[in-house]
Amino acid sequence: NQQNLKFMRKITFFAALFISILFAACQNSDLELAQVENLTNGEQVTPLRETFDFTYKGESYSSPFYMENDTLMILEDEKVAAVYDRIQELPELATYVAPNGDIEYYDSYEELEINKQSKGLKNKNAISRSFGYSYEIYIYEHADYNTQRQGRKVLLNSPVAIPHLKAYAMDDMISSFTAGARNLIYSARGGITFFRNPDYKAQSITFTINGIISEESGYRYYCKVRNFHDYKVKKGINWNDRISSIKTFE
């Protein structure tokens, strides 16, 4: 009985060791596994690859990519990767996210404004200016609109120009936001821009406010970003908790 007990302990130990090694290998693997589905003899399983597409200086770029350590995107097209890496180092890089999710890059917010023929709110001394109610902006301290964690939520009535979010105790604290209104159909084209530094400086990211994307209990949403972690400021840095000023335009 004692010999059987020792033998069973050895089996249990080696089984646990094998599982732990296998788990560690999966955790550290950079491969993206394709689904095995109705493979015939001779067919091979190939890693899934997605493409990253963006526009810069009026030219479109596209490259297959894979994720390294679940955080770093590696572009496989060397020419596209060189352009992308150079763009990410621009000190005033302006990222424009179109309604369909397409991404456009500009050297600065001023260049984005000229290209989109938009009129930004220029009064940098104003904490908030309103020229007639159009839609509501909610900024949240945590991702998923604070539904997973309790945190600060601030309501802003557009249009707004906020040169420093310290006035709202939300400097470098925004993780998600929504734009919408109850019983109001917003028909104008516009957007909301988040800046990394106070006074609308440094890098920026702009989201389009254009038409209803969803409706819940009479509340119409024109734009929702569940996690700023999904968007990059520059290489190795995302937008989560890195916003210091906000401006809207129509």
Short mmCIF file of all heavy atoms in Angstrom, two decimals, residues 142-204:
data_model
loop_
_atom_site.label_atom_id
_atom_site.label_comp_id
_atom_site.label_asym_id
_atom_site.label_seq_id
_atom_site.Cartn_x
_atom_site.Cartn_y
_atom_site.Cartn_z
N HIS A 142 -13.16 55.20 -14.83
CA HIS A 142 -12.75 53.83 -15.14
C HIS A 142 -13.30 53.38 -16.48
O HIS A 142 -14.21 53.99 -17.06
CB HIS A 142 -13.21 52.88 -14.04
CG HIS A 142 -12.69 53.21 -12.68
ND1 HIS A 142 -11.34 53.31 -12.40
CD2 HIS A 142 -13.34 53.51 -11.52
CE1 HIS A 142 -11.18 53.63 -11.14
NE2 HIS A 142 -12.37 53.76 -10.58
N ALA A 143 -12.73 52.30 -16.99
CA ALA A 143 -13.20 51.72 -18.24
C ALA A 143 -14.62 51.18 -18.10
O ALA A 143 -15.12 51.02 -16.98
CB ALA A 143 -12.24 50.60 -18.68
N ASP A 144 -15.26 50.92 -19.23
CA ASP A 144 -16.62 50.37 -19.24
C ASP A 144 -17.61 51.27 -18.50
O ASP A 144 -18.56 50.78 -17.89
CB ASP A 144 -16.65 48.96 -18.65
CG ASP A 144 -15.86 47.98 -19.50
OD1 ASP A 144 -16.16 47.86 -20.69
OD2 ASP A 144 -14.92 47.35 -18.97
N TYR A 145 -17.35 52.60 -18.54
CA TYR A 145 -18.27 53.59 -18.00
C TYR A 145 -18.57 53.37 -16.52
O TYR A 145 -19.70 53.55 -16.05
CB TYR A 145 -19.58 53.58 -18.82
CG TYR A 145 -19.36 53.28 -20.27
CD1 TYR A 145 -19.82 52.09 -20.85
CD2 TYR A 145 -18.63 54.16 -21.08
CE1 TYR A 145 -19.58 51.80 -22.18
CE2 TYR A 145 -18.38 53.87 -22.42
CZ TYR A 145 -18.85 52.69 -22.96
OH TYR A 145 -18.60 52.39 -24.29
N ASN A 146 -17.55 52.96 -15.78
CA ASN A 146 -17.64 52.74 -14.33
C ASN A 146 -18.59 51.61 -13.94
O ASN A 146 -18.98 51.50 -12.78
CB ASN A 146 -18.08 54.01 -13.58
CG ASN A 146 -17.00 55.08 -13.57
OD1 ASN A 146 -15.87 54.85 -14.00
ND2 ASN A 146 -17.36 56.26 -13.07
N THR A 147 -18.96 50.76 -14.89
CA THR A 147 -19.90 49.68 -14.55
C THR A 147 -19.21 48.53 -13.80
O THR A 147 -19.86 47.78 -13.08
CB THR A 147 -20.58 49.12 -15.81
OG1 THR A 147 -19.57 48.68 -16.74
CG2 THR A 147 -21.46 50.17 -16.46
N GLN A 148 -17.90 48.41 -13.98
CA GLN A 148 -17.16 47.34 -13.30
C GLN A 148 -16.57 47.80 -11.97
O GLN A 148 -16.32 46.99 -11.09
CB GLN A 148 -16.03 46.83 -14.21
CG GLN A 148 -16.48 46.39 -15.58
CD GLN A 148 -17.49 45.27 -15.55
OE1 GLN A 148 -17.37 44.33 -14.76
NE2 GLN A 148 -18.52 45.37 -16.38
N ARG A 149 -16.34 49.13 -11.85
CA ARG A 149 -15.78 49.69 -10.62
C ARG A 149 -16.45 51.03 -10.33
O ARG A 149 -16.82 51.75 -11.26
CB ARG A 149 -14.27 49.93 -10.77
CG ARG A 149 -13.46 48.78 -11.16
CD ARG A 149 -12.01 49.19 -11.43
NE ARG A 149 -11.40 49.89 -10.30
CZ ARG A 149 -10.21 50.45 -10.35
NH1 ARG A 149 -9.50 50.40 -11.46
NH2 ARG A 149 -9.71 51.05 -9.30
N GLN A 150 -16.59 51.34 -9.08
CA GLN A 150 -17.16 52.63 -8.71
C GLN A 150 -16.10 53.71 -8.89
O GLN A 150 -14.94 53.54 -8.50
CB GLN A 150 -17.63 52.59 -7.26
CG GLN A 150 -18.45 53.82 -6.86
CD GLN A 150 -19.04 53.67 -5.47
OE1 GLN A 150 -18.63 52.81 -4.71
NE2 GLN A 150 -20.02 54.49 -5.15
N GLY A 151 -16.49 54.84 -9.49
CA GLY A 151 -15.53 55.91 -9.71
C GLY A 151 -16.22 57.22 -10.08
O GLY A 151 -17.45 57.29 -10.12
N ARG A 152 -15.43 58.23 -10.34
CA ARG A 152 -15.98 59.55 -10.66
C ARG A 152 -16.61 59.55 -12.05
O ARG A 152 -16.12 58.92 -12.98
CB ARG A 152 -14.88 60.61 -10.60
CG ARG A 152 -14.46 60.98 -9.20
CD ARG A 152 -13.46 62.13 -9.22
NE ARG A 152 -13.96 63.30 -9.93
CZ ARG A 152 -14.83 64.18 -9.44
NH1 ARG A 152 -15.32 64.02 -8.22
NH2 ARG A 152 -15.22 65.21 -10.15
N LYS A 153 -17.70 60.32 -12.17
CA LYS A 153 -18.38 60.54 -13.45
C LYS A 153 -18.74 62.02 -13.53
O LYS A 153 -19.29 62.57 -12.58
CB LYS A 153 -19.64 59.68 -13.56
CG LYS A 153 -20.43 59.92 -14.84
CD LYS A 153 -21.64 58.99 -14.94
CE LYS A 153 -22.78 59.47 -14.07
NZ LYS A 153 -24.04 58.72 -14.31
N VAL A 154 -18.40 62.66 -14.65
CA VAL A 154 -18.65 64.08 -14.80
C VAL A 154 -19.47 64.32 -16.06
O VAL A 154 -19.17 63.77 -17.13
CB VAL A 154 -17.33 64.87 -14.88
CG1 VAL A 154 -17.60 66.35 -15.16
CG2 VAL A 154 -16.54 64.72 -13.59
N LEU A 155 -20.51 65.15 -15.94
CA LEU A 155 -21.36 65.51 -17.08
C LEU A 155 -20.92 66.85 -17.65
O LEU A 155 -20.75 67.83 -16.91
CB LEU A 155 -22.82 65.59 -16.63
CG LEU A 155 -23.80 66.26 -17.61
CD1 LEU A 155 -23.90 65.46 -18.91
CD2 LEU A 155 -25.17 66.43 -16.97
N LEU A 156 -20.75 66.91 -18.97
CA LEU A 156 -20.42 68.14 -19.68
C LEU A 156 -21.46 68.34 -20.77
O LEU A 156 -21.74 67.43 -21.54
CB LEU A 156 -19.03 68.05 -20.32
CG LEU A 156 -17.88 67.60 -19.43
CD1 LEU A 156 -16.64 67.32 -20.27
CD2 LEU A 156 -17.59 68.65 -18.37
N ASN A 157 -22.05 69.53 -20.84
CA ASN A 157 -22.99 69.84 -21.91
C ASN A 157 -22.25 70.51 -23.07
O ASN A 157 -21.61 71.54 -22.90
CB ASN A 157 -24.11 70.76 -21.41
CG ASN A 157 -25.10 70.03 -20.53
OD1 ASN A 157 -25.48 68.89 -20.81
ND2 ASN A 157 -25.50 70.65 -19.44
N SER A 158 -22.31 69.88 -24.23
CA SER A 158 -21.57 70.42 -25.38
C SER A 158 -22.28 71.65 -25.94
O SER A 158 -23.50 71.81 -25.78
CB SER A 158 -21.49 69.35 -26.47
OG SER A 158 -22.77 69.13 -27.03
N PRO A 159 -21.54 72.54 -26.62
CA PRO A 159 -20.10 72.45 -26.85
C PRO A 159 -19.30 72.89 -25.63
O PRO A 159 -19.76 73.69 -24.83
CB PRO A 159 -19.88 73.40 -28.03
CG PRO A 159 -20.96 74.42 -27.88
CD PRO A 159 -22.14 73.70 -27.32
N VAL A 160 -18.09 72.37 -25.51
CA VAL A 160 -17.25 72.70 -24.36
C VAL A 160 -15.83 73.00 -24.82
O VAL A 160 -15.38 72.54 -25.87
CB VAL A 160 -17.20 71.55 -23.33
CG1 VAL A 160 -18.55 71.32 -22.70
CG2 VAL A 160 -16.68 70.27 -23.96
N ALA A 161 -15.14 73.79 -24.02
CA ALA A 161 -13.71 74.02 -24.17
C ALA A 161 -13.12 74.03 -22.77
O ALA A 161 -13.31 74.97 -22.02
CB ALA A 161 -13.44 75.35 -24.88
N ILE A 162 -12.45 72.97 -22.41
CA ILE A 162 -11.91 72.81 -21.06
C ILE A 162 -10.39 72.78 -21.14
O ILE A 162 -9.81 71.75 -21.52
CB ILE A 162 -12.43 71.53 -20.40
CG1 ILE A 162 -13.96 71.53 -20.38
CG2 ILE A 162 -11.90 71.40 -18.99
CD1 ILE A 162 -14.57 70.24 -19.88
N PRO A 163 -9.72 73.88 -20.84
CA PRO A 163 -8.27 73.92 -20.98
C PRO A 163 -7.51 73.11 -19.94
O PRO A 163 -6.35 72.77 -20.16
CB PRO A 163 -7.95 75.41 -20.84
CG PRO A 163 -9.07 75.96 -20.04
CD PRO A 163 -10.28 75.17 -20.41
N HIS A 164 -8.17 72.81 -18.81
CA HIS A 164 -7.49 72.00 -17.80
C HIS A 164 -8.52 71.23 -16.98
O HIS A 164 -9.38 71.83 -16.34
CB HIS A 164 -6.62 72.85 -16.88
CG HIS A 164 -5.47 72.08 -16.29
ND1 HIS A 164 -5.61 70.82 -15.77
CD2 HIS A 164 -4.15 72.38 -16.17
CE1 HIS A 164 -4.44 70.38 -15.35
NE2 HIS A 164 -3.54 71.32 -15.58
N LEU A 165 -8.41 69.91 -17.00
CA LEU A 165 -9.38 69.07 -16.30
C LEU A 165 -9.19 69.06 -14.79
O LEU A 165 -9.97 68.43 -14.08
CB LEU A 165 -9.31 67.64 -16.84
CG LEU A 165 -10.02 67.45 -18.18
CD1 LEU A 165 -9.60 66.16 -18.85
CD2 LEU A 165 -11.54 67.49 -17.98
N LYS A 166 -8.18 69.78 -14.29
CA LYS A 166 -8.06 69.93 -12.83
C LYS A 166 -9.30 70.60 -12.26
O LYS A 166 -9.68 70.36 -11.11
CB LYS A 166 -6.82 70.75 -12.50
CG LYS A 166 -5.52 69.96 -12.47
CD LYS A 166 -4.37 70.79 -11.96
CE LYS A 166 -3.09 69.96 -11.87
NZ LYS A 166 -1.94 70.78 -11.41
N ALA A 167 -9.93 71.47 -13.06
CA ALA A 167 -11.14 72.16 -12.60
C ALA A 167 -12.27 71.18 -12.31
O ALA A 167 -13.19 71.49 -11.56
CB ALA A 167 -11.58 73.18 -13.65
N TYR A 168 -12.19 69.97 -12.88
CA TYR A 168 -13.22 68.95 -12.67
C TYR A 168 -12.67 67.76 -11.88
O TYR A 168 -13.33 66.73 -11.78
CB TYR A 168 -13.75 68.46 -14.02
CG TYR A 168 -14.51 69.53 -14.78
CD1 TYR A 168 -13.83 70.44 -15.58
CD2 TYR A 168 -15.89 69.62 -14.71
CE1 TYR A 168 -14.50 71.43 -16.28
CE2 TYR A 168 -16.58 70.59 -15.42
CZ TYR A 168 -15.88 71.49 -16.19
OH TYR A 168 -16.56 72.47 -16.88
N ALA A 169 -11.47 67.92 -11.34
CA ALA A 169 -10.81 66.84 -10.60
C ALA A 169 -10.72 65.57 -11.43
O ALA A 169 -10.88 64.45 -10.92
CB ALA A 169 -11.54 66.56 -9.28
N MET A 170 -10.46 65.74 -12.75
CA MET A 170 -10.37 64.59 -13.64
C MET A 170 -9.10 64.62 -14.49
O MET A 170 -9.03 63.95 -15.52
CB MET A 170 -11.60 64.55 -14.56
CG MET A 170 -12.89 64.14 -13.88
SD MET A 170 -12.90 62.39 -13.38
CE MET A 170 -13.25 61.58 -14.93
N ASP A 171 -8.11 65.38 -14.09
CA ASP A 171 -6.87 65.45 -14.86
C ASP A 171 -6.15 64.10 -14.82
O ASP A 171 -5.91 63.53 -13.75
CB ASP A 171 -5.96 66.54 -14.28
CG ASP A 171 -4.71 66.73 -15.11
OD1 ASP A 171 -4.79 66.63 -16.35
OD2 ASP A 171 -3.64 66.97 -14.53
N ASP A 172 -5.82 63.58 -16.01
CA ASP A 172 -5.15 62.28 -16.13
C ASP A 172 -5.92 61.17 -15.43
O ASP A 172 -5.34 60.26 -14.82
CB ASP A 172 -3.72 62.35 -15.56
CG ASP A 172 -2.78 63.13 -16.45
OD1 ASP A 172 -3.08 63.27 -17.66
OD2 ASP A 172 -1.75 63.61 -15.96
N MET A 173 -7.25 61.23 -15.52
CA MET A 173 -8.08 60.23 -14.84
C MET A 173 -9.14 59.61 -15.74
O MET A 173 -9.89 58.74 -15.30
CB MET A 173 -8.77 60.85 -13.62
CG MET A 173 -7.84 61.15 -12.46
SD MET A 173 -8.71 61.95 -11.09
CE MET A 173 -9.89 60.68 -10.62
N ILE A 174 -9.25 60.02 -17.00
CA ILE A 174 -10.33 59.55 -17.86
C ILE A 174 -9.97 58.21 -18.50
O ILE A 174 -8.91 58.06 -19.08
CB ILE A 174 -10.66 60.57 -18.95
CG1 ILE A 174 -11.13 61.89 -18.32
CG2 ILE A 174 -11.72 60.03 -19.90
CD1 ILE A 174 -11.37 63.00 -19.32
N SER A 175 -10.90 57.24 -18.38
CA SER A 175 -10.70 55.93 -18.99
C SER A 175 -11.76 55.56 -20.01
O SER A 175 -11.55 54.65 -20.81
CB SER A 175 -10.65 54.84 -17.90
OG SER A 175 -9.52 55.00 -17.08
N SER A 176 -12.91 56.25 -20.00
CA SER A 176 -13.96 55.99 -20.98
C SER A 176 -14.87 57.21 -21.08
O SER A 176 -14.83 58.10 -20.21
CB SER A 176 -14.77 54.74 -20.61
OG SER A 176 -15.35 54.85 -19.32
N PHE A 177 -15.68 57.27 -22.14
CA PHE A 177 -16.62 58.39 -22.26
C PHE A 177 -17.77 58.01 -23.17
O PHE A 177 -17.68 57.07 -23.97
CB PHE A 177 -15.91 59.65 -22.78
CG PHE A 177 -15.94 59.82 -24.27
CD1 PHE A 177 -16.93 60.60 -24.89
CD2 PHE A 177 -14.99 59.23 -25.09
CE1 PHE A 177 -16.96 60.76 -26.26
CE2 PHE A 177 -15.01 59.39 -26.46
CZ PHE A 177 -16.00 60.16 -27.06
N THR A 178 -18.87 58.76 -23.03
CA THR A 178 -20.01 58.63 -23.94
C THR A 178 -20.46 60.03 -24.35
O THR A 178 -20.25 61.01 -23.64
CB THR A 178 -21.21 57.91 -23.29
OG1 THR A 178 -21.69 58.69 -22.18
CG2 THR A 178 -20.82 56.52 -22.81
N ALA A 179 -21.09 60.10 -25.52
CA ALA A 179 -21.72 61.33 -25.98
C ALA A 179 -23.11 60.96 -26.47
O ALA A 179 -23.28 60.04 -27.27
CB ALA A 179 -20.91 61.96 -27.11
N GLY A 180 -24.12 61.66 -25.97
CA GLY A 180 -25.49 61.32 -26.35
C GLY A 180 -26.49 62.30 -25.78
O GLY A 180 -26.12 63.33 -25.20
N ALA A 181 -27.75 61.97 -25.94
CA ALA A 181 -28.82 62.85 -25.44
C ALA A 181 -30.12 62.05 -25.36
O ALA A 181 -30.30 61.06 -26.08
CB ALA A 181 -29.00 64.05 -26.34
N ARG A 182 -31.02 62.52 -24.50
CA ARG A 182 -32.32 61.87 -24.38
C ARG A 182 -33.34 62.64 -25.21
O ARG A 182 -33.46 63.86 -25.12
CB ARG A 182 -32.76 61.84 -22.91
CG ARG A 182 -34.07 61.10 -22.67
CD ARG A 182 -34.34 60.91 -21.20
NE ARG A 182 -33.32 60.07 -20.58
CZ ARG A 182 -33.29 58.74 -20.65
NH1 ARG A 182 -34.25 58.10 -21.31
NH2 ARG A 182 -32.34 58.06 -20.05
N ASN A 183 -34.06 61.89 -26.04
CA ASN A 183 -35.13 62.47 -26.87
C ASN A 183 -34.63 63.62 -27.74
O ASN A 183 -35.33 64.62 -27.93
CB ASN A 183 -36.29 62.95 -25.98
CG ASN A 183 -36.86 61.82 -25.13
OD1 ASN A 183 -36.99 60.69 -25.61
ND2 ASN A 183 -37.16 62.12 -23.89
N LEU A 184 -33.41 63.50 -28.23
CA LEU A 184 -32.86 64.52 -29.12
C LEU A 184 -32.08 63.84 -30.23
O LEU A 184 -31.21 63.00 -29.98
CB LEU A 184 -31.91 65.46 -28.35
CG LEU A 184 -31.13 66.47 -29.19
CD1 LEU A 184 -32.06 67.51 -29.77
CD2 LEU A 184 -30.03 67.13 -28.36
N ILE A 185 -32.42 64.17 -31.47
CA ILE A 185 -31.68 63.65 -32.61
C ILE A 185 -30.69 64.70 -33.05
O ILE A 185 -31.06 65.76 -33.57
CB ILE A 185 -32.63 63.26 -33.77
CG1 ILE A 185 -33.58 62.16 -33.32
CG2 ILE A 185 -31.82 62.81 -34.98
CD1 ILE A 185 -34.59 61.75 -34.38
N TYR A 186 -29.43 64.45 -32.82
CA TYR A 186 -28.36 65.38 -33.18
C TYR A 186 -27.99 65.13 -34.63
O TYR A 186 -27.51 64.06 -35.00
CB TYR A 186 -27.16 65.17 -32.27
CG TYR A 186 -25.99 66.06 -32.56
CD1 TYR A 186 -26.03 67.41 -32.22
CD2 TYR A 186 -24.84 65.57 -33.16
CE1 TYR A 186 -24.95 68.24 -32.47
CE2 TYR A 186 -23.76 66.39 -33.41
CZ TYR A 186 -23.82 67.72 -33.07
OH TYR A 186 -22.75 68.53 -33.32
N SER A 187 -28.22 66.10 -35.50
CA SER A 187 -28.05 65.90 -36.94
C SER A 187 -26.79 66.56 -37.50
O SER A 187 -26.39 66.27 -38.62
CB SER A 187 -29.27 66.43 -37.69
OG SER A 187 -29.48 67.80 -37.40
N ALA A 188 -26.17 67.46 -36.71
CA ALA A 188 -24.98 68.14 -37.22
C ALA A 188 -23.76 67.22 -37.16
O ALA A 188 -23.75 66.22 -36.45
CB ALA A 188 -24.72 69.41 -36.41
N ARG A 189 -22.75 67.56 -37.95
CA ARG A 189 -21.49 66.82 -37.89
C ARG A 189 -20.57 67.52 -36.90
O ARG A 189 -20.48 68.75 -36.88
CB ARG A 189 -20.83 66.78 -39.27
CG ARG A 189 -21.61 65.97 -40.29
CD ARG A 189 -20.91 66.02 -41.63
NE ARG A 189 -19.60 65.40 -41.56
CZ ARG A 189 -19.37 64.11 -41.75
NH1 ARG A 189 -20.38 63.30 -42.01
NH2 ARG A 189 -18.15 63.62 -41.69
N GLY A 190 -19.91 66.75 -36.08
CA GLY A 190 -19.01 67.35 -35.10
C GLY A 190 -18.06 66.34 -34.53
O GLY A 190 -17.93 65.22 -35.05
N GLY A 191 -17.39 66.73 -33.47
CA GLY A 191 -16.45 65.81 -32.85
C GLY A 191 -16.02 66.31 -31.49
O GLY A 191 -16.27 67.45 -31.11
N ILE A 192 -15.35 65.44 -30.77
CA ILE A 192 -14.80 65.79 -29.47
C ILE A 192 -13.34 65.36 -29.46
O ILE A 192 -13.01 64.23 -29.86
CB ILE A 192 -15.59 65.14 -28.32
CG1 ILE A 192 -14.91 65.46 -26.98
CG2 ILE A 192 -15.77 63.64 -28.51
CD1 ILE A 192 -15.76 65.08 -25.78
N THR A 193 -12.48 66.28 -29.04
CA THR A 193 -11.04 66.02 -29.05
C THR A 193 -10.49 66.03 -27.63
O THR A 193 -10.80 66.93 -26.84
CB THR A 193 -10.30 67.08 -29.88
OG1 THR A 193 -10.85 67.11 -31.21
CG2 THR A 193 -8.81 66.77 -29.97
N PHE A 194 -9.69 65.03 -27.32
CA PHE A 194 -9.03 64.90 -26.03
C PHE A 194 -7.54 65.16 -26.24
O PHE A 194 -6.91 64.59 -27.15
CB PHE A 194 -9.24 63.51 -25.45
CG PHE A 194 -10.69 63.15 -25.24
CD1 PHE A 194 -11.43 62.58 -26.26
CD2 PHE A 194 -11.31 63.39 -24.02
CE1 PHE A 194 -12.77 62.25 -26.08
CE2 PHE A 194 -12.64 63.07 -23.82
CZ PHE A 194 -13.38 62.50 -24.85
N PHE A 195 -6.96 66.01 -25.38
CA PHE A 195 -5.56 66.39 -25.50
C PHE A 195 -4.76 65.85 -24.32
O PHE A 195 -5.25 65.83 -23.18
CB PHE A 195 -5.41 67.91 -25.55
CG PHE A 195 -6.06 68.54 -26.76
CD1 PHE A 195 -7.41 68.84 -26.75
CD2 PHE A 195 -5.31 68.83 -27.90
CE1 PHE A 195 -8.02 69.42 -27.85
CE2 PHE A 195 -5.91 69.41 -29.01
CZ PHE A 195 -7.26 69.70 -28.99
N ARG A 196 -3.53 65.51 -24.58
CA ARG A 196 -2.69 64.94 -23.53
C ARG A 196 -2.29 66.00 -22.50
O ARG A 196 -2.18 65.70 -21.31
CB ARG A 196 -1.44 64.31 -24.14
CG ARG A 196 -0.64 63.52 -23.12
CD ARG A 196 0.56 62.86 -23.73
NE ARG A 196 1.28 62.09 -22.73
CZ ARG A 196 2.49 61.59 -22.91
NH1 ARG A 196 3.12 61.78 -24.06
NH2 ARG A 196 3.07 60.90 -21.96
N ASN A 197 -2.06 67.23 -22.94
CA ASN A 197 -1.61 68.29 -22.04
C ASN A 197 -2.68 69.36 -21.86
O ASN A 197 -3.61 69.45 -22.67
CB ASN A 197 -0.33 68.94 -22.57
CG ASN A 197 0.90 68.06 -22.40
OD1 ASN A 197 0.81 66.97 -21.83
ND2 ASN A 197 2.03 68.51 -22.90
N PRO A 198 -2.57 70.19 -20.83
CA PRO A 198 -3.50 71.32 -20.68
C PRO A 198 -3.39 72.28 -21.86
O PRO A 198 -2.42 72.26 -22.63
CB PRO A 198 -3.04 71.98 -19.37
CG PRO A 198 -2.27 70.93 -18.65
CD PRO A 198 -1.62 70.09 -19.70
N ASP A 199 -4.41 73.15 -22.00
CA ASP A 199 -4.44 74.18 -23.04
C ASP A 199 -4.39 73.60 -24.44
O ASP A 199 -3.81 74.21 -25.35
CB ASP A 199 -3.32 75.20 -22.84
CG ASP A 199 -3.49 76.01 -21.57
OD1 ASP A 199 -4.65 76.40 -21.27
OD2 ASP A 199 -2.50 76.24 -20.86
N TYR A 200 -4.96 72.39 -24.62
CA TYR A 200 -5.10 71.78 -25.95
C TYR A 200 -3.75 71.58 -26.63
O TYR A 200 -3.59 71.87 -27.82
CB TYR A 200 -6.03 72.63 -26.83
CG TYR A 200 -7.16 73.27 -26.06
CD1 TYR A 200 -7.26 74.65 -25.93
CD2 TYR A 200 -8.12 72.49 -25.42
CE1 TYR A 200 -8.29 75.24 -25.21
CE2 TYR A 200 -9.15 73.06 -24.70
CZ TYR A 200 -9.22 74.44 -24.59
OH TYR A 200 -10.24 75.02 -23.88
N LYS A 201 -2.79 71.10 -25.87
CA LYS A 201 -1.43 70.93 -26.40
C LYS A 201 -1.02 69.47 -26.40
O LYS A 201 -1.67 68.61 -25.83
CB LYS A 201 -0.45 71.74 -25.54
CG LYS A 201 -0.78 73.23 -25.54
CD LYS A 201 0.44 74.06 -25.84
CE LYS A 201 0.06 75.54 -25.90
NZ LYS A 201 0.73 76.31 -24.87
N ALA A 202 0.11 69.23 -27.10
CA ALA A 202 0.71 67.90 -27.26
C ALA A 202 -0.19 67.01 -28.13
O ALA A 202 -0.97 67.51 -28.94
CB ALA A 202 1.01 67.27 -25.91
N GLN A 203 -0.12 65.70 -27.94
CA GLN A 203 -0.89 64.79 -28.78
C GLN A 203 -2.39 64.92 -28.49
O GLN A 203 -2.80 65.34 -27.41
CB GLN A 203 -0.45 63.34 -28.55
CG GLN A 203 0.99 63.05 -28.94
CD GLN A 203 1.94 63.19 -27.78
OE1 GLN A 203 1.65 63.84 -26.78
NE2 GLN A 203 3.11 62.58 -27.90
N SER A 204 -3.19 64.53 -29.50
CA SER A 204 -4.65 64.60 -29.34
C SER A 204 -5.30 63.41 -30.04
O SER A 204 -4.71 62.79 -30.93
CB SER A 204 -5.20 65.90 -29.93
OG SER A 204 -5.02 65.93 -31.34
#
